[in-house]
Amino acid sequence: MSDAPASDRGARRAARAIDALRRGWPFRIEGADGALDLLAVESARDAALAEFGSADLLISGERAVTLKLTNQRAAATPGPVRLADGAASVAGALAIADPALDLANPLKGPFRTIASGGEAAAATAMTMARHAGLLPAFFVRAAKCEAETACSTADVAALLDPSRLEIAARARLPVAASETAEIIAFRSPEEASDHVALIIGKRDGNPPVVRLHSECLTGDVLGSLKCDCGPQLHAALHAMADAPWGVLLYLRQEGRGIGLVNKLRAYALQDQGYDTVDANLRLGFPVEARDFAIAGQMLALLNIPRIRLMTNNPEKVARLEREGVDVVERIPLALPTNPHNERYLATKRDRTGHQL
């Protein structure tokens, strides 16, 4: 028997299951109220589905609302929804799961919802899909025979436990805002994404100015005008340089935690007229899927218990305080809009509570 702690063994099982999910291989999730065999719709192929056998379709509660299924008893409570005989092919399942295909497939159903057969397992499957950056939709059947790849809901919780985060490396990194900056990388043993902190200025006894910045390839690197991420990042760094000291926490949680590909899908839905909130919901995701406990652990590892948080989002203050961080001040970050992001910023103000 392995001498590794149970949490380590569980995290490895969950990591293997997420790898199977990405590759279009079947896997099993075991929960306290039942076990489910699953095959991710987005990564599946018809040959794999034929081998998987007759299956229903499992979609998220948010996607079920878009498909107007919540008037059925089995779908009346929040959470994933199972559709009986949802689709006989991958293409048919994608037409149900992917809102980009809604215009080409306007007449969906009728659908019959049934009990999931394992609510805890179904909810964990949605978390795994989001973590993998895939659409939250699965072919599903009751667990049978022996599973080649299996994990439990507790295993997935162990994998995503922010306390597993550790400092992996640190180095001096001169940047435009500060030639004396230091970069620190954080890593969890089984995770592929590394988070980083950039320390600006000389540490003293005062709370630093801290900015939580979620990765945005399109804004930070490509200069997208659809959001304000790039300008916010650089403005925050220069504001830290003017303060005694500051810390940028760069979190690898693209698209509010739904991943790059799904963020681009949300952009396509915005081009159809949906705002950023409704686009996420039509995709089947919550409006906010980021894990700010990661930021709390990064600050703990840096021995920074008190901060001045630079944000327009009061929810970030509340979430960090729940992680034991003392936010002594919220510093707003005001930047000019442009014609491409005016509606996006108005939506953040009106629907997600952002304020200056």
Side-chain angles (χ1 to χ4, degrees), residues 7 155-165 188 191 291 294 297:
S7 60
D155 293 338
V156 176
L159 176 67
L160 303 182
D161 183 354
S163 69
R164 298 175 65 78
L165 203 66
S188 293
E191 284 279 62
D291 182 1
I294 294 171
Q297 176 66 2

Side-chain angles (χ1 to χ4, degrees), residues 29-348:
I29 301 180
E30 299 164 350
D33 57 348
L36 299 173
D37 285 346
L38 299 156
L39 181 65
V41 168
E42 183 176 347
S43 56
R45 298 294 181 266
D46 282 327
L49 178 58
E51 186 176 344
F52 189 69
S54 178
D56 298 325
L57 197 61
L58 184 71
I59 60 174
S60 71
E62 291 85 357
R63 185 62 179 156
V65 170
T66 295
L67 297 177
K68 297 180 171 53
L69 297 174
T70 52
N71 62 333
Q72 298 188 34
R73 179 171 296 180
T77 56
V81 173
R82 183 167 174 171
L83 309 180
D85 304 318
S89 68
V90 173
L94 279 172
I96 298 169
D98 188 350
L101 303 176
D102 283 350
L103 293 179
N105 301 273
L107 301 176
K108 301 180 191 295
F111 300 115
R112 180 171 63 89
T113 63
I114 59 175
S116 67
E119 291 184 11
T124 297
M126 298 302 149
T127 298
M128 294 171 71
R130 187 169 68 246
H131 193 68
L134 299 181
L135 289 168
F138 296 87
F139 296 104
V140 60
R141 70 184 187 198
K144 63 181 182 180
C145 305
E146 185 176 350
E148 183 175 337
T149 304
C151 69
S152 70
T153 56
D155 293 338
V156 176
L159 176 67
L160 303 182
D161 183 354
S163 69
R164 298 175 65 78
L165 203 66
E166 301 171 343
I167 292 177
R170 59 199 308 162
R172 187 178 70 87
L173 182 69
V175 296
S178 172
E179 295 183 2
T180 61
E182 180 187 21
I183 189 167
I184 302 170
F186 300 79
R187 174 182 290 166
S188 293
E190 297 80 15
E191 284 279 62
S193 296
D194 301 327
H195 307 280
V196 299
L198 188 70
I199 298 181
I200 303 288
K202 186 175 181 180
R203 182 169 185 154
D204 60 22
N206 297 309
V209 173
V210 172
R211 170 72 182 169
L212 271 62
H213 190 89
S214 296
E215 178 182 33
C216 179
L217 174 69
T218 49
D220 299 343
V221 178
L222 302 179
S224 167
L225 298 177
K226 286 180 67 70
C227 65
D228 58 346
C229 299
Q232 279 195 338
L233 173 62
H234 296 290
L237 289 176
H238 286 284
M240 291 174 191
D242 293 335
W245 72 299
V247 182
L248 171 75
L249 300 181
Y250 196 84
L251 309 179
R252 304 295 298 279
Q253 301 188 116
E254 183 87 45
R256 292 203 199 101
I258 67 175
L260 176 62
V261 172
N262 285 318
K263 183 176 83 168
L264 299 185
R265 290 182 172 122
Y267 279 179
L269 290 173
Q270 289 170 30
D271 289 340
Q272 294 178 21
Y274 299 101
D275 66 28
T276 184
V277 169
D278 287 333
N280 273 33
L281 294 173
R282 290 188 74 84
L283 280 165
F285 294 109
V287 175
E288 176 61 85
R290 289 174 291 184
D291 182 1
F292 293 116
I294 294 171
Q297 176 66 2
M298 292 167 73
L299 290 169
L301 291 170
L302 294 172
N303 193 26
I304 300 175
R306 303 172 68 242
I307 66 172
R308 301 165 62 207
L309 186 63
M310 182 174 289
T311 183
N312 298 332
N313 184 1
E315 180 62 19
K316 281 187 180 179
V317 176
R319 296 275 289 273
L320 277 181
E321 288 181 334
R322 286 203 292 270
E323 299 303 321
V325 179
D326 183 8
V327 181
V328 300
E329 181 185 2
R330 183 181 74 83
I331 303 172
L333 186 56
L335 293 170
T337 63
N338 68 64
H340 301 279
N341 68 16
E342 284 177 338
R343 187 186 181 206
Y344 166 76
L345 296 176
T347 299
K348 289 207 298 184

